[in-house]
């Protein structure tokens, strides 16, 4: 579109000019600054219809005034220094007395001046000067340009092209990257109209490296692909500093949960590079938001993000500059399958040397990329949470103290407080009203939604949003748009998508102003722009809110159609909190088609249940029993599935004494490996920090000399890790030597412990009809294991192979290890791969299905 091309080109050239002025200023080269005075003289004459002349051409270097229009009585200072002192210095000059009745204006030609427009100034000569209107910078100029009609816009475009040089039009210049990062990434908007400096938001966002043996053994990898809103219970001891990331790994994939700060991480890297404070070994750091990736290649993505001209005209030789470039590919999980392939092909085509890819945990497979290392970003540590709260409530220490105290005694909210987006919402809500003890993530979002409608929309007295009738329809329209986008795996909505999803007139007149959507808004016609939700989790919340209002018949179809899609997990979590009939939701998840292994289904039900204020007692007992059954399967067969232990966090809202005592029995069981006992003990203690009675019972075990030393050491170690979170109980008496000696003597290594796992799981799951006794099958050969390493990650390849030969046991292992659903439709195996449903072409016989179900679920097809 011509308007877009004209605007983008003007944007580029003004930012390039600004960056060069800054760079030359550092070298004390003022020639470009002086030329800029004349450029802005003609630019303002064209843009505003002035008749400016350069006063310095008449009298050399007149203080305070550079350009003047005697007809319109306007005087302008052009400066690369953008400070309050600079403006006040100009206003104080005696020369201004000679120009009584003139209006003073200030142009910041190199730096953002938005803060200056909000300040008050000493004005000793009472010169006509309104800071909000009379201080210009590139952003304010671009806002003016944006409103021009097409003919005027083209005129400005031709002027810029002529003045700033045709020869630079197609040259890929790092200055435009730096200027955009410095202006666009300086602040981060977490909630509507609520921007925070990125240096404050990026409080030690913790990155951890996958364990070495995990990386070397893709068959053992546990990425927790179930999307949930909770953070890991225990934080790593040695997080990786962002400064060291590139030294550790040239090609990295960083995964993390929703709202954990993956985009903030990428923008922080780009911003710090632009400030010359990070990764200065690279000439180019190129940030690409993959949600905006079209079907073009890498140059097309660069063009869409930074340049107005066609990608074939960009004179950037990626291969020649490979060693000087760092690519930041943000949001791999937000790409559809075909676009994922285009990105992978482009990375291979250019053989990129340095890149960082971010994704949600479910959004990738290890076979997708050749990366050096996998990392997880896990948000804030406990100390970071405290620092963030202190910074947020800098003017109200009592609020900060009360919130920190609340988090120590409310595990549900403490879990999600490690996530930057969630912590921002927690602080903003706490500032207005303190929470109840039973607050769930869904309730937190519900409060924030009402808050945004009230605070951000109503502050303009916007009756379109404030009216109750409109508010209800706004939520409905947002929900329809959100849900359709979620099912289409779309998070960026253009006009056509909006028109096909909702009432476009009501959307344009009301929904846009509700505060939940953001847009670059470059086009006059609003629906010619693209929109997205403040954060993907808001899209998931509104999707669930919409579905919760539908009939049970409609809900049933949606639940059964989408329950196996990993990217819908957060949607189901919110639906658990919003739907009226809670048991109906859980029963529908259990209905056909069922997950024949059952673990994916069990975890999904746990996620939904954790968002419910009330879970039926009968359902609790079922969940307790299922957890025991899965844990027994893991322990008795020495299988690795760490997620069953991680799932303990979902029980935090409805634990009872019986369940806790069962966990304690496992911790005290000498026949169970000490690693599993320690893991369960750590999580058990963390989940019961506010249960004084239970903690005291654990302390009595530590004191009891009759108890097994390992049991005492395990529990002492777990409690010692959480000393600071149990201030109400005196723990000074714990004999540190006991658990220190215990830890030194029991340096557990998960992968050493499971070194025989593949042999056992192969035996356990061998269902080949040729082998009547799968448990006694022979140990797989090294060649078979190497073949398994290659196959295990790619379900599509496994399903294809199943059509040719009998490798069902490998398919089952792949689903079990990677927490993928495995279900039957029309007698064929199905799973979800890269957001798409895939299936075998060959039917599975009933005897085999019964054997699988008996193995994992203790039931037959008709059981």
């Amino acid at each position: 579109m011509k308007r877009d091309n004209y605007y983008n080109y003007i944007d580029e050239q003004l930012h390039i000019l600004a960056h060069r002025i800054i760079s030359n200023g550092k070298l004390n080269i003022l020639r470009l600054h002086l030329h800029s005075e004349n450029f802005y003289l003609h630019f303002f004459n064209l843009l505003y219809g002035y008749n400016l002349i350069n006063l310095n051409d008449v009298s050399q270097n007149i203080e305070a005034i550079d350009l003047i229009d005697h007809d319109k009585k306007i005087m302008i200072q052009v400066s690369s220094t953008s400070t309050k002192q600079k403006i006040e210095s100009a206003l104080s000059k005696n020369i201004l007395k000679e120009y009584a009745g003139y209006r003073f204006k200030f142009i910041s030609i190199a730096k953002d001046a938005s803060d200056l427009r909000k300040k008050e100034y000493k004005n000793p000569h009472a010169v006509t000067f309104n800071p909000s209107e009379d201080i210009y910078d590139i952003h304010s100029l671009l806002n003016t340009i944006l409103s021009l009609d097409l003919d005027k816009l083209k005129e400005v475009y031709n002027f810029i092209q002529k003045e700033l040089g045709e020869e630079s039009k197609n040259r890929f210049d790092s200055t435009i990257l730096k200027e955009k990062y410095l202006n666009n990434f300086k602040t981060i908007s977490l909630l509507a109209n609520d921007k925070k400096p990125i240096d404050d938001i990026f409080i030690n966002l913790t990155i951890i490296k996958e364990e070495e043996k995990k990386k070397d053994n893709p068959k053992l990898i546990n990425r927790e692909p179930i999307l949930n809103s909770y953070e890991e219970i225990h934080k790593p001891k040695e997080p990786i500093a962002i400064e060291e990331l590139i030294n550790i790994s040239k090609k990295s994939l960083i995964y993390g949960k929703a709202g954990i700060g993956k985009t903030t991480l990428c923008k922080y890297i780009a911003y710090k590079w632009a400030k010359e404070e990070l990764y200065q070994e690279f000439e180019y750091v190129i940030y690409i938001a993959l949600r905006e990736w079209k079907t073009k290649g890498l140059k097309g993505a660069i063009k869409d993000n930074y340049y107005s001209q066609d990608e074939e005209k960009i004179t950037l030789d990626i291969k020649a500059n490979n060693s000087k470039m760092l690519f930041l590919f943000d949001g791999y999980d937000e790409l559809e399958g075909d676009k994922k392939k285009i990105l992978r092909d482009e990375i291979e085509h250019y053989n990129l040397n340095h890149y960082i890819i971010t994704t949600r945990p479910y959004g990738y497979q290890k076979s997708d990329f050749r990366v050096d290392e996998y990392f997880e970003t896990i948000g804030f540590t406990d100390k970071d949470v405290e620092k963030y709260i202190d910074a947020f409530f800098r003017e109200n220490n009592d609020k900060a103290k009360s919130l920190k105290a609340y988090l120590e005694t409310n595990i549900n909210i403490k879990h999600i407080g490690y996530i930057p987006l969630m912590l921002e919402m927690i602080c903003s809500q706490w500032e207005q009203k303190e929470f109840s003890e039973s607050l769930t993530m869904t309730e937190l979002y519900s409060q924030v939604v009402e808050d945004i409608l009230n605070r951000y929309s109503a502050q303009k007295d916007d009756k379109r949003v404030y009216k109750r009738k409109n508010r209800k329809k706004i939520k409905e329209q947002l929900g329809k748009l959100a849900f359709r986008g979620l099912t289409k795996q779309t998070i960026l909505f253009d006009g056509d998508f909006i028109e096909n999803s909702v009432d476009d007139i009501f959307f344009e007149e009301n929904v846009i102003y509700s505060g939940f959507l953001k847009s670059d808004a470059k086009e006059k016609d609003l629906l010619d722009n693209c929109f997205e939700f403040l954060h993907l989790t808001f899209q998931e919340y509104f999707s669930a809110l919409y579905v919760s209002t539908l009939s049970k018949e409609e809900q049933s179809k949606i639940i059964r159609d989408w329950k196996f899609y990993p990217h819908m997990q957060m949607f189901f979590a919110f639906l658990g909190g919003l739907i009226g009939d809670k048991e109906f939701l859980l029963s529908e998840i259990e209905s056909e088609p069922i997950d024949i292994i059952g673990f994916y289904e069990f975890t999904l039900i746990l996620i939904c249940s954790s968002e419910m204020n009330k879970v039926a007692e009968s359902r609790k007992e079922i969940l307790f029993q299922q957890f025991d059954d899965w844990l027994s399967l893991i322990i008795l067969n020495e299988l690795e599935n760490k997620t069953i232990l991680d799932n303990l966090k979902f029980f935090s809202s409805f634990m009872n004494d019986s369940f806790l005592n069962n966990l304690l029995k496992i911790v005290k069981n000498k026949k169970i490996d000490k690693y599993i006992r320690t893991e369960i003990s750590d999580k058990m203690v963390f989940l019961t920090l506010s249960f004084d009675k239970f903690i005291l019972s654990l302390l009595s075990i530590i004191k009891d000399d009759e108890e097994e030393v390992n049991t005492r050491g395990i529990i002492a170690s777990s409690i010692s890790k959480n000393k600071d979170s149990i201030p109400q109980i005196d723990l000074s008496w714990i004999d540190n030597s006991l658990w220190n000696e215990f830890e030194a003597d029991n340096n557990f290594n998960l992968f050493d412990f499971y070194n025989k796992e593949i042999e056992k799981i192969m035996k356990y799951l061998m269902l080949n009809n040729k082998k009547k006794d799968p448990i006694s099958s022979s140990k797989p050969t090294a060649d078979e294991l190497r073949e398994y390493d290659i196959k295990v990650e790619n379900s599509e390849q496994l399903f294809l192979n199943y059509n040719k030969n009998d490798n069902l046991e490998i398919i089952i292992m792949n689903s079990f290890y990677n927490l993928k659903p495995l279900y039957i439709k029309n007698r064929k195996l199905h799973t979800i791969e890269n957001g798409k449903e895939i299936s075998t072409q060959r039917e599975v016989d009933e005897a085999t299905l019964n054997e699988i179900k008996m193995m994992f679920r203790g039931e037959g097809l008709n059981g």
Side-chain angles (χ1 to χ4, degrees):
M1 170 176 307
K2 288 183 178 180
R3 171 176 289 278
D4 198 40
N5 288 339
Y6 292 157
Y7 177 85
N8 284 343
Y9 180 73
I10 295 167
D11 183 352
E12 291 166 17
Q13 297 306 319
L14 290 179
H15 278 103
I16 289 174
L17 175 62
H19 193 274
R20 287 176 179 167
I21 290 169
I22 293 172
S23 299
N24 289 345
K26 290 178 180 178
L27 299 173
N28 203 24
I29 302 172
L30 300 178
R31 180 175 54 84
L32 186 60
H33 184 185
L34 296 176
H35 285 316
S36 297
E37 287 182 6
N38 286 322
F39 166 77
Y40 274 98
L41 181 153
H42 296 294
F43 187 32
F44 269 49
N45 286 345
L46 172 63
L47 192 59
Y48 297 108
Y50 295 158
N51 188 25
L52 295 166
I53 62 171
N54 194 327
L55 205 57
N56 290 316
D57 291 341
V58 180
S59 301
Q60 280 295 311
N61 198 26
I62 292 181
E63 290 183 310
I65 307 173
D66 297 308
L67 312 177
I68 194 163
D69 181 339
H70 292 295
D71 296 330
K72 292 186 170 59
K73 293 187 179 301
I74 291 172
M75 50 186 175
I76 299 177
Q77 182 175 56
V78 180
S79 178
S80 60
T81 303
S82 184
T83 65
K84 180 179 179 180
Q85 291 78 6
K86 179 71 174 178
I87 295 174
E88 287 186 336
S89 173
L91 291 172
S92 69
K93 302 302 181 185
N94 289 327
I95 187 71
L96 298 187
K97 294 179 182 179
E98 300 177 17
Y99 297 96
Y102 280 66
R103 189 181 193 96
F104 177 80
K105 293 179 179 286
F106 179 86
I107 305 175
S108 174
I109 60 176
K111 297 181 180 179
D112 178 76
S114 56
D115 288 342
L116 294 180
R117 285 190 281 271
K118 303 173 186 176
K119 297 182 183 298
E120 295 181 357
Y121 296 85
K122 296 177 183 177
N123 189 354
H125 304 302
V127 175
T128 303
F129 173 61
N130 183 344
S132 63
E133 298 177 0
D134 295 331
I135 297 178
Y136 297 89
D137 60 11
I138 290 177
H139 289 289
S140 63
L141 294 175
L142 288 173
N143 285 335
T144 300
I145 291 168
L146 190 61
S147 64
L148 298 176
D149 61 46
L150 188 59
D151 290 338
K152 187 67 174 180
L153 182 63
K154 184 178 181 180
E155 192 177 352
V156 173
Y157 168 81
N158 289 333
F159 167 79
I160 295 289
Q161 191 178 80
K162 181 179 179 180
E163 280 285 325
L164 299 183
E166 185 73 25
E167 69 279 359
S168 67
K169 177 182 175 184
N170 297 322
R171 183 164 58 86
F172 189 83
D173 195 325
S174 64
T175 56
I176 189 172
L177 296 174
K178 292 183 177 180
E179 189 63 29
K180 287 206 172 187
Y181 298 157
L182 290 172
N183 284 293
N184 297 342
F185 296 168
K186 182 179 181 180
T187 58
I188 294 291
S189 180
L190 295 179
L191 300 176
N193 299 332
D194 192 7
K195 291 190 174 184
K196 302 286 185 183
I198 193 168
D199 282 318
D200 291 347
I201 294 301
F202 197 84
I203 295 178
N204 191 36
L205 195 61
T206 308
I207 304 168
I208 57 172
K209 181 180 174 183
E210 273 193 3
E211 296 178 48
E212 191 67 23
K213 294 198 175 184
K214 276 190 177 183
K215 180 173 73 74
D216 292 340
N217 294 273
K219 55 187 169 293
L220 296 179
I221 184 64
N222 169 30
R223 296 192 306 261
E224 194 180 351
I226 298 298
L227 175 60
N228 61 71
S229 65
Y230 300 102
E231 196 33 82
E232 291 294 332
I233 287 178
H234 291 297
K235 298 291 160 270
K237 293 180 180 178
E238 296 182 2
I240 294 170
I242 189 66
E243 293 80 6
E244 298 299 319
L245 190 60
I246 287 298
N247 295 331
I248 296 171
S249 173
K250 293 181 178 180
K251 303 173 183 177
S252 304
L253 188 143
I254 301 178
Y255 60 91
K257 300 177 180 67
I260 205 69
K262 299 180 293 295
T263 295
T264 301
L265 171 66
C266 289
K267 290 183 176 181
Y268 181 81
I269 291 173
Y271 177 70
K272 285 294 188 181
W273 170 76
K275 288 184 70 178
E276 301 181 2
E277 295 176 3
L278 186 67
Y279 297 160
Q280 291 306 290
E281 61 267 37
F282 297 108
E283 185 175 343
Y284 306 94
V285 171
I286 303 176
Y287 170 81
I288 296 178
L290 293 179
R291 69 185 62 184
E292 299 173 12
W293 181 279
K294 299 183 175 67
T295 54
K296 303 174 184 177
L298 193 53
K299 279 194 174 182
I302 294 171
K303 177 257 180 186
D304 289 338
N305 278 270
Y306 301 105
Y307 281 82
S308 58
Q309 63 270 22
D310 295 333
E311 61 267 24
E312 60 268 15
K313 294 180 180 179
I314 298 176
T315 56
L316 171 65
D317 190 335
I318 295 177
K319 289 185 177 180
N321 290 281
N322 209 339
S323 62
K324 306 174 186 176
M325 307 179 83
L326 170 63
F327 284 89
L328 307 173
F329 297 112
D330 182 30
Y332 181 66
D333 57 287
E334 296 170 7
L335 287 175
E336 297 175 5
D338 293 341
K339 291 181 180 178
K340 285 182 176 180
K341 184 178 185 304
I342 293 173
L343 174 62
R344 295 196 299 265
D345 290 346
E346 286 292 276
I347 290 174
E348 289 293 319
H349 171 70
Y350 289 108
N351 192 25
L352 298 183
N353 285 345
H354 302 92
Y355 56 82
I356 294 172
I357 301 168
T358 70
T359 179
R360 283 189 179 184
Y362 63 78
Y364 74 102
Q365 295 185 79
K366 278 202 161 183
S367 56
D368 286 351
F369 297 100
R370 296 176 182 175
V371 299
D372 299 325
E373 299 289 351
Y374 294 86
F375 300 91
E376 181 178 12
T377 177
I378 63 167
F380 292 152
T381 63
D382 287 325
K383 289 183 179 179
D384 297 330
V385 169
E386 290 192 6
K387 285 165 60 178
Y388 188 96
I389 293 172
D390 288 337
F392 190 95
F393 295 107
R394 190 173 285 110
E395 306 299 325
N396 193 336
N397 289 334
D398 290 340
K399 279 283 186 183
K401 289 179 181 178
S402 63
L403 178 53
K404 285 187 277 189
Y406 172 84
L407 293 178
E408 289 302 328
T409 57
N410 290 270
I411 299 302
N412 280 348
I413 299 300
K414 183 171 183 176
H415 279 203
I416 63 177
Y418 295 125
I419 301 174
L421 174 65
M422 305 291 182
L423 187 57
E424 171 75 7
M425 294 196 294
I426 290 168
C427 289
S428 66
Q429 293 305 299
W430 191 264
E431 189 173 29
Q432 301 169 65
K433 184 181 178 181
E434 297 187 359
F435 307 143
S436 66
E437 291 186 2
S438 61
L439 190 70
T440 64
M441 178 189 66
T442 306
E443 289 171 329
L444 175 63
Y445 270 76
S446 296
Q447 287 187 16
V448 171
V449 165
E450 293 304 317
D451 183 47
I452 289 175
L453 284 172
N454 288 331
R455 289 172 58 197
Y456 300 121
S457 302
Q459 68 184 2
K460 299 177 182 178
D461 197 25
D462 195 335
K463 294 180 180 179
R464 293 171 298 189
V465 175
Y466 207 62
K467 289 168 63 176
R468 178 179 174 84
K469 183 178 179 181
N470 276 11
R471 287 160 69 94
K472 184 176 180 181
K473 190 170 182 180
I474 284 170
K475 291 178 184 178
E476 178 190 9
Q477 297 275 288
L478 286 170
K480 285 183 177 179
L481 180 68
F483 182 67
R484 183 166 182 260
L486 210 55
T487 58
K488 301 288 185 183
Q489 298 186 56
T490 297
I491 62 175
L492 202 62
F493 314 113
D494 59 20
D496 290 338
F497 192 95
I498 292 168
E499 288 171 351
N500 291 327
S501 303
V502 297
D503 177 348
D504 58 305
I505 296 176
F506 183 83
F507 182 90
E508 194 165 2
E509 292 180 351
N510 298 275
V511 178
I512 287 175
Y513 304 99
S514 63
F516 297 103
L517 299 171
K518 56 184 179 179
S519 171
D520 53 6
K522 293 180 179 178
E523 303 300 329
K524 280 188 173 181
D525 187 330
L526 288 174
L527 291 188
D528 282 339
N529 298 290
C530 289
F531 293 86
E532 61 183 307
F533 281 87
L534 295 176
H535 189 268
L536 181 54
T537 51
F538 280 97
Q539 182 175 345
E540 290 158 328
Y541 172 85
F542 277 107
S543 298
L545 183 64
Y546 166 68
V547 172
S548 71
T549 66
L550 301 178
S551 68
K552 282 194 173 181
E553 182 180 358
E554 292 171 303
Q555 289 175 347
S556 175
K557 185 177 188 315
I558 288 170
I559 294 167
R560 295 181 187 220
D561 285 349
W562 294 103
K563 63 183 178 180
F564 291 129
Y565 285 78
H567 80 276
M568 299 292 283
Q569 291 292 339
M570 184 70 91
F571 158 79
F572 275 99
F574 283 127
L575 189 58
L578 293 166
I579 197 168
D581 191 337
K582 312 292 187 186
E583 189 57 34
F584 172 77
L585 168 62
L586 303 182
S587 297
E588 288 298 305
I589 292 174
E590 292 174 322
S591 300
E592 294 289 347
I594 66 168
D595 176 22
I596 59 176
I597 292 177
F599 188 71
Y600 186 96
E601 174 191 295
F602 166 66
T603 304
L604 178 58
I605 288 175
L606 263 184
I607 290 172
C608 293
S609 300
S610 69
E611 288 299 312
M612 298 176 180
N613 268 331
K614 292 185 179 180
V615 180
E617 289 300 321
S618 57
R619 173 61 66 177
K620 290 181 186 178
E621 292 304 320
I622 292 172
L623 291 174
F624 292 152
Q625 185 59 54
Q626 287 178 330
F627 180 84
D628 286 342
D629 290 344
W630 279 107
L631 192 57
S632 297
L633 176 69
I634 301 302
I635 292 171
L636 292 175
N637 295 279
E638 296 182 1
L639 310 177
E640 190 223 346
N641 190 316
K642 186 173 175 288
T643 302
I644 187 63
L645 302 179
D646 291 336
N647 278 348
L648 271 170
K649 59 180 168 276
F650 296 120
F651 288 100
S652 62
S653 60
F654 53 88
M655 288 186 296
N656 60 21
D657 290 342
S658 175
F659 182 66
L660 290 174
N661 287 329
N662 282 339
L663 294 179
L664 186 55
K665 286 179 182 178
I666 295 172
V667 174
K668 297 173 72 173
N669 191 330
K670 294 184 289 185
K671 295 181 179 179
I672 297 175
D673 183 83
K674 287 191 285 280
Y675 169 80
I676 293 179
R677 294 166 65 189
T678 302
E679 282 281 299
I680 292 176
S681 176
D682 284 350
K683 289 172 170 57
M684 177 182 68
V685 168
F686 187 85
L687 293 172
T688 57
L689 291 176
S690 58
F691 297 5
D692 289 1
K693 183 179 177 181
F694 188 75
I695 294 294
L696 288 171
S697 70
L698 296 180
L699 295 177
S700 68
I701 293 174
I702 299 173
K703 289 181 178 180
D704 189 350
D705 293 337
E706 299 296 320
E707 291 283 357
E708 182 219 11
V709 65
N710 280 332
T711 298
R712 297 169 64 205
I714 287 170
I715 295 174
S717 174
S718 298
I719 290 180
S720 294
K721 292 172 185 175
N722 293 281
K723 274 186 177 181
D724 294 339
S725 297
I726 320 176
Q728 70 275 22
I729 298 176
D730 178 21
L731 300 175
S732 60
W733 57 269
I734 292 183
D735 183 0
N736 287 336
S737 63
L738 172 68
W739 60 268
N740 282 334
E741 181 181 346
F742 162 78
E743 284 195 328
D745 191 45
N746 294 276
N747 186 15
F748 304 133
N749 187 306
L750 173 62
F751 298 99
D752 287 342
F753 172 63
Y754 290 126
N755 59 357
K756 295 182 179 179
E757 179 184 355
I758 295 304
E759 173 186 354
K760 292 178 180 178
I761 191 69
M762 289 283 284
K763 288 180 180 180
Y764 191 66
L765 298 176
M766 198 67 70
L767 300 177
N768 194 314
N769 290 332
K770 297 176 184 178
K771 297 178 180 178
K772 296 182 181 179
D773 183 8
I775 301 301
S776 63
S777 60
S778 60
K779 179 178 179 179
T781 66
D783 288 340
E784 287 173 329
L785 288 180
R786 276 194 291 272
E787 182 182 11
Y788 173 74
D789 283 349
I790 296 171
K791 291 180 179 179
V792 70
E793 283 285 339
N794 194 318
S795 298
E796 194 163 6
Q797 188 64 38
L798 291 176
F799 275 50
L800 179 64
N801 288 341
Y802 182 67
N803 298 324
K804 301 175 182 177
N805 53 61
D806 193 1
N807 70 337
L808 181 59
E809 68 278 2
I810 302 293
I811 291 176
I812 295 169
M813 279 190 288
N814 179 59
S815 298
F816 182 72
Y817 280 126
N818 291 288
L819 301 185
K820 293 180 179 179
L822 190 64
Y823 54 100
I824 303 295
K825 288 169 69 172
N826 301 320
R827 310 299 299 179
K828 296 174 183 176
L829 284 173
H830 288 68
T831 193
I832 306 298
E833 184 82 3
N834 286 328
K836 294 181 179 179
E837 185 178 66
I838 60 172
S839 71
T840 58
Q841 295 302 309
R842 199 175 75 184
E843 293 185 357
V844 182
D845 63 272
E846 186 169 330
T848 300
L849 292 178
N850 271 316
E851 192 166 359
I852 298 171
K853 293 181 70 176
M854 283 296 296
M855 185 180 304
F856 286 99
R857 305 175 68 103
E859 59 185 47
L861 282 178
N862 300 318

